[in-house]
């Protein structure tokens, strides 16, 4: 017996004596692709068509095989098919509705694909006809809205969302999709919110609903009034916002879980055994093999929610159990059209596992923690352009969060401490920190750790200038909040200072190469201004007086880097050139740092010379910085011994000078 060829619509192969048999639906499609009206000879043609199982491959392939001129000849039949699909959506028989939805997907995709190569026809005219387009789309959107809001089949709702996603994503640039004008006029916003606010429908359709909303919000958002932007910005229903947050958290958690699984598999595999034998010289190359497809669609949804709706900020801090702990069986969904690129949803078990009661033995998390973990993975590798844009979006979201007053309040809240295990890029000169050693700290510490990690790990030939600028901006906004609200954060600020100084050294070392592509003085100015902020206002947010001493010590210890930076910007600002003005701004910004270096460095060198010390310890340098200017550094050992600090110059320890009555004059 001949093998069945379902894909081509054939039921058996052709032979010399017999013609090939075709599915009835394929024969009906062939009639549609004739110039004659198929219902002339068969009055029940359209009723019968939607009782037949759709052959998506054949229908789309047939559309693709026609050239623009041939397609225009059958425009009336395509218009008729489109209109009868919309009519079938109002039928009570679910089979008709399912087949109509799938046929619409095939039509929309097929016609748009054809238009990519031959733009000699208008999409709207080809699908519906200009004269009937407004009424057709009105009826279509009303039918989809009714199906999404009804208490009917979950499968139908899923197909409705797939059709809408298909409609939105058929063009590379969403703002060039003119059909969406009708989607703006006939809004389905309330139907999307209804899905997100009800747990059962959210478990089944939440992902598609959130992605669809994010895409609709981006339609000509800067060119005209987008009703979806307006409506999203004023949503204040707690159940809806929490539902949206849960869907986003689930999708990001699924990515984090997949990455962790691949990482563990990679570490326990053959390559791990090989590197144990030959060393870690290839550790960076091994890391590049751990790759999980990123989810820009859900990241875009998070950005729009944070950016547009201030009420959503509260959702970031909503506690929930770590996801992916329990799996729950879900009802199967029938065959649907292909999911648009970049909108692949997480597995259903993850979607349904989150809505569980909190357990004392379960590590609690929240959307912000999940997002920070996701960002720490995505931002590791920016060599690929795709991941570069994804990392940029992560930093834009963090900027929105760092700008918000309420977000800063819970970021800096001492009563909200979490252990956030950020992923760190493998590097030869440092060991991977053990998860169990992570301290519980306010969430702002994790944000700062992420920024420091990015600064340290991306000084490379393909310098991601834009990402560095956004990274420094996030740090600056957090410091502004701490200064304004006098929040004394117990954080290891020295790691940040060291990272910033190393960044300046990198900019100077690669001045010629970088200046050919970027204005590095903008970034250098931002870094110097961060130090100025610590110097000028550090007493309002640094945790202890000794923190100020550590800052001055770090500046003095690395004075050569600041001196070199000053020489570089002075050289460029005194010459006529493209970067003269930008370099001049850095020159003026270095005044405070140079004043500190010029004030303390000679005194420290003098003290070292008097006491025959080739290199001062950190404690000795701290003492020199802390003591009042009126104290003669030559009498320092005797003075310290008198105050009870003991020891000679070689045995000085770092005391609490304020407890002994000393004050800092700087």
């Amino acid at each position: 017996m001949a093998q069945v060829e379902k894909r081509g619509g054939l039921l058996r192969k052709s032979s010399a004596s017999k013609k090939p048999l075709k599915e009835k639906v394929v024969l009906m499609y062939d009639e549609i692709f004739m110039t004659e009206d198929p219902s002339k000879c068969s009055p029940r043609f359209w009723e019968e068509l939607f009782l037949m199982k759709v052959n998506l491959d054949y229908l789309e392939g047939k559309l693709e095989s026609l050239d623009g001129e041939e397609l225009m000849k059958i425009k009336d039949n395509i218009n008729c098919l489109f209109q009868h699909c919309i009519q079938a959506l109002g039928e009570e028989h679910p089979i008709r509705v399912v087949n109509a939805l799938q046929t619409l997907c095939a039509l929309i995709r097929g016609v748009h694909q054809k238009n990519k190569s031959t733009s000699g026809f208008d999409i709207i005219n080809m699908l519906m006809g200009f004269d009937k387009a407004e009424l057709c789309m009105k009826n279509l959107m009303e039918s989809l809205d009714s199906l999404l809001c009804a208490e009917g089949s979950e499968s139908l709702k899923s197909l409705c969302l797939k059709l809408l996603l298909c409609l939105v994503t058929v063009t590379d640039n969403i703002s060039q999709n003119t059909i969406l004008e009708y989607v703006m006029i006939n809004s389905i916003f309330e139907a999307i919110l209804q899905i997100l606010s009800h747990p059962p429908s959210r478990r089944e359709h939440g992902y598609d609903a959130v992605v669809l909303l994010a895409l609709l919000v981006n339609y000509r958002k800067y060119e005209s009034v987008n009703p979806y932007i307006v409506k999203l910005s004023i949503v204040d229903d707690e159940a809806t916002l929490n539902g949206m947050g849960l869907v986003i958290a689930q999708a990001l958690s699924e990515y984090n879980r997949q990455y962790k699984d691949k990482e563990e598999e990679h570490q326990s595999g053959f390559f791990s055994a090989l590197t144990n034998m030959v060393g870690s010289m290839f550790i960076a190359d091994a890391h590049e093999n751990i790759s999980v497809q990123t989810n820009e669609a859900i990241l875009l949804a998070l950005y729009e929610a944070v950016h547009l709706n201030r009420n959503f900020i509260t959702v970031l801090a909503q506690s929930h159990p770590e996801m992916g702990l329990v799996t729950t069986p879900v009802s199967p969904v029938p065959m649907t059209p292909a999911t648009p690129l970049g909108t692949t949803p997480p597995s259903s078990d993850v979607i349904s596992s989150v809505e569980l009661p909190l357990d004392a033995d379960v590590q609690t998390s929240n959307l912000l923690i999940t997002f920070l973990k996701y960002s720490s993975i995505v931002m590791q590798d920016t060599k690929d352009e795709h991941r570069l844009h994804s990392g940029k979006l992560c930093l834009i979201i963090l900027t929105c969060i760092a700008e918000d007053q309420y977000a800063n309040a819970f970021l800096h809240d001492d009563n909200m401490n979490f252990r956030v295990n950020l992923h760190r890029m493998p590097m030869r000169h440092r060991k991977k920190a053990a998860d169990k050693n992570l301290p519980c700290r306010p969430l702002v510490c994790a944000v700062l750790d992420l920024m420091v990690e990015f600064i340290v790990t991306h000084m490379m030939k393909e310098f991601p200038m834009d990402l560095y600028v956004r990274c420094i901006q996030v740090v600056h906004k957090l410091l502004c909040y701490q200064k304004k609200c006098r929040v004394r954060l117990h954080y290891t600020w020295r790691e940040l200072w060291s990272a910033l100084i190393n960044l300046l050294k990198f900019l100077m070392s690669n001045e010629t190469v970088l200046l050919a592509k970027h204005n590095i003085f903008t970034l250098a100015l931002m870094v110097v201004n961060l130090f100025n902020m610590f110097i000028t206002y550090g007493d309002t947010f640094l945790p202890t007086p000794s923190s100020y001493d550590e800052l001055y010590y770090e500046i003095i210890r690395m004075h050569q880097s600041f001196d070199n930076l000053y020489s570089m910007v002075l050289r460029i600002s005194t010459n006529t050139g493209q970067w003269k003005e930008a370099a001049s701004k850095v020159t003026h910004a270095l005044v405070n740092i140079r004043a500190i270096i010029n004030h303390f460095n000679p005194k420290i060198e003098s003290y070292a010379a008097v006491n025959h010390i080739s290199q001062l310890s950190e404690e000795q340098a701290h003492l020199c910085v802390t003591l009042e200017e009126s104290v003669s550094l030559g009498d320092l050992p005797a003075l310290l011994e008198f105050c009870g600090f003991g020891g000679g110059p070689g045995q000085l320890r770092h005391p609490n000078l304020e407890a002994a009555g000393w004050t800092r004059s700087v």
Side-chain angles (χ1 to χ4, degrees), residues 383-400:
K383 294 177 183 177
D384 175 66
E385 187 176 1
H386 182 76
R387 287 180 174 266
L388 179 70
H389 294 316
S390 192
K392 179 179 178 180
L393 189 49
C394 287
L395 285 168
I396 292 173
I397 294 170
L398 281 171
T399 303
C400 293

Side-chain angles (χ1 to χ4, degrees), residues 232-278:
L232 179 58
S233 65
I234 58 175
V235 173
D236 59 359
D237 180 65
E238 187 176 350
T240 302
L241 293 173
N242 287 341
M244 189 185 300
L246 281 171
V247 171
I248 295 171
Q250 289 153 9
L252 297 180
S253 291
E254 173 69 356
Y255 176 89
N256 295 345
R257 183 190 63 78
Q258 289 180 8
Y259 182 88
K260 187 175 181 181
D261 290 346
K262 281 204 171 186
E263 188 179 42
E264 290 174 354
E265 178 185 342
H266 195 78
Q267 290 173 351
S268 61
F270 170 77
F271 196 91
S272 177
L274 182 63
T275 51
N276 286 337
M277 290 188 290
V278 301

Side-chain angles (χ1 to χ4, degrees), residues 180 195 289 321 458 481 513 543 588:
L180 292 188
I195 290 172
N289 295 329
H458 288 78
Y481 176 83
V513 176
H588 296 310

Side-chain angles (χ1 to χ4, degrees), residues 148 157-165 195 205 208-209 212:
L148 288 172
K157 291 183 181 182
S158 178
L159 281 173
C160 288
L161 289 168
K162 296 296 182 188
L163 172 59
L164 286 164
L165 284 169
I195 290 172
H205 317 295
D208 284 345
L212 176 62

